[in-house]
Amino acid sequence: MSARIAVSLLGQRRFVPLLGATTLGAFNDNMFKMALVVGASAGLLTFGDMPAGALAPMAANAFTAAIFLFSAVAGQVADRYDRAEILKKTKLAEIGLMTLAAFGFYTMNSLVLLATLFLMGVQSAFYSPARVASLPHYLGAKELVPGNALIGGSLFMAILVGGALGTLLIPTGNGRFIIGGVLVGGAILGWLVILATPPSPSAKNPKPVNWNFVTETWRMIALVLKTPGMARPLLAAAWFWAIAAAVVTLLHTVVQDVLGQDQMLTAAMQVLFTVGAAVGSISCGLFARGEDASAFSVAGAIGVVVFAGDLAWQLLHWQTGPAVGVAAFVQDPAHWRILVDFFLAAMFAGLYVVPQQALAQRRAPEDIRARLLAGGNLLNAAAATGAQLLLMLNAWAGGSPALVFALVGTGSAVVAAIILRRLMQQSRSATAGQP
């Protein structure tokens, strides 16, 4: 049934423009960020006397800082005004931002590019709550899981393709010109696509917007915690982003220091992770039944426990050998287990997150839906930042990458137990209520 729903959504005006514009935005974001990071690593971009390796985390923090600063205000705006209009205006703003990014790449000006990246974070902070709060308006209760799955799968693939193009193009002679043209073209296409989105009215009794982002951030967090049924799915979804941030950040260290290979294998395993997460996300949309697909979250979390745990075991006992190149590494049967584990851990993580996103959207009261889901964005950013801080502490303490995968497995086991307990309580309540 979900497969039929997913296919039918691909022909619906209430869904396709949102899917297309969101995918194009993710493509642009990741093409831009990877071109910036790789350009810095190659010495093509500099920022004063700052080491090249410091520019990448600085870029990541610039984007995340905007999410922290503006999510609370953006949630209020999306509850007060027509969300389709917000989507159209933010996509129009993206054209200007990508034009600025193209100028930054043309002049290879790091200051312009970092400032643009911060403004892209602001744009994302306003676009995202309007998007996720619109889904329960556009989609029926049984369509939320397939709809989120399609968007999640397309986002992962856009991240992969955009990041790959940014990585490959920036070192070439005319790469920066091509990147600038693609960014502007993608932004224009995204705006044209989103124009077809039907209206998504605001809450019935919207409150005035408080532009004090400091006080509103705390109020938003308190609102998430006190609104019945909201904290658990939002925190559960944030756990996925903590896993993703930890794995992606740690991957270079694992490949270079543990496996003893070069950056080409890092790129190949990034592809494995992204495709795996996309496959898991789409699979949930195809095979889930009914409104609440939390059983898939339990299965996904258990899968992460198994395969992240096996990864930790392998890394702990790995005997580092000579660098042999991607083709030779993949062809060696002795290495297949770690590659399969990595792919399946990502796949089960993708399977896990979709039902929690849909559950939060379905439970959020209409009058404060965007604020609550903007709070989810803030939690996602905080989880990703916390995971990166944990990696820093682990490295400072001389801990092994295997320990991080063990913690991922342990945390996923706790999450699986919490969700399973809730499902069992619901089942007992339903049984007790039967005549």
Side-chain angles (χ1 to χ4, degrees), residues 295-313:
F296 280 80
S297 287
V298 175
I302 291 172
V304 174
V305 173
V306 172
F307 295 106
D310 194 51
L311 273 170
W313 176 263

Side-chain angles (χ1 to χ4, degrees), residues 21 88-89 91-92 95 186-196:
K88 294 170 186 177
K89 286 179 171 60
K91 295 304 286 186
L92 181 61
I95 298 175
I188 293 173
L189 183 58
W191 175 65
L192 292 173
V193 168
I194 203 67
L195 289 177

Side-chain angles (χ1 to χ4, degrees), residues 16 53 84 118-119 164 180 219 260 417 432:
V16 172
F118 177 80
L119 293 174
R219 287 178 186 172

